[in-house]
Amino acid sequence: MANGGKQARLAVLIDADNASAKIVDGLFEEIAKLGEASVRRIYGDFSSPRSKAWADVLTKYAIIPQQQFAYTTGKNASDITLVIDAMDLLHSGRFDGFCLVSSDSDFTRLAARIREEGVDVYGFGELKTPESFRQACRRFIYTENLLPDAAAKGGTGERGKALEPISKADDLLRKAIAEIETETGWVLLGSIGSQLANLAPDFDPRTYGYKKLSDLVRDLPSLELNEEDGGRLKVRLKPKGGSAGRRGSPRGGQKG
């Protein structure tokens, strides 16, 4: 959300050559959580059969196509046009954030440049997206998590489709907790989520098959989860050899 309670104004720029049209429903549902997609543009050669799937959904989501004919093999005019448009929109001063939809590392410098101006960048790309681009974004969402068959269950003990092993999530969570651990060892789940965003812009419970962070934490044997009166959730590293249950009561704990 932008300041004053208004929705953040977002510019959504899609690289048609490096994003599948199959994600479009999940993509705009995800963007709606971040703010208002005020500008919606897609770049590619829509005279090519390769881009036909995108051409079929442009009207539904009011996406404006920026046609770039592929006159020369190996020269990507679409990328250049996207970058030029992004800089024009950035210097207009009208936007709170940019959503760059691509798995192409060529947009790393663009993302970094936009963030230098204090404007948020949300990246959307496949798991194969190079780390340089992922790290350049404030947050990076894997498009595999936006596909219709990728919905994580959560709350029922059933997991959705996992893109990464849960052991990787365990390492990240333990690191996040260690960096903000209190004297009692208990840390607010919300604080852990914020720290995870700083450590790994691409962290997402859905990547490990869970709808929510709390569902993921419940299934990690190295952690304990406690729900206080009022519904606040706290987490700590499970004491070595301890007998405390997953619902052990935090004494004192973190304030706030």
Side-chain angles (χ1 to χ4, degrees), residues 3-16:
N3 292 335
K6 294 182 179 179
Q7 278 195 312
R9 288 173 57 86
L10 304 174
V12 181
L13 308 179
I14 304 170
D15 175 10

Side-chain angles (χ1 to χ4, degrees), residues 16 22 33-34 71 75 102 116 121 124 138 158 168 206 216 238:
K22 294 178 182 179
K33 300 174 186 177
L34 304 171
Y71 294 117
K75 300 294 184 182
S102 178
E116 286 173 3
V121 176
F124 296 81
R138 178 188 173 187
E158 296 182 71
K168 184 175 179 180
R206 293 173 296 185
L216 172 59
K238 183 175 290 186

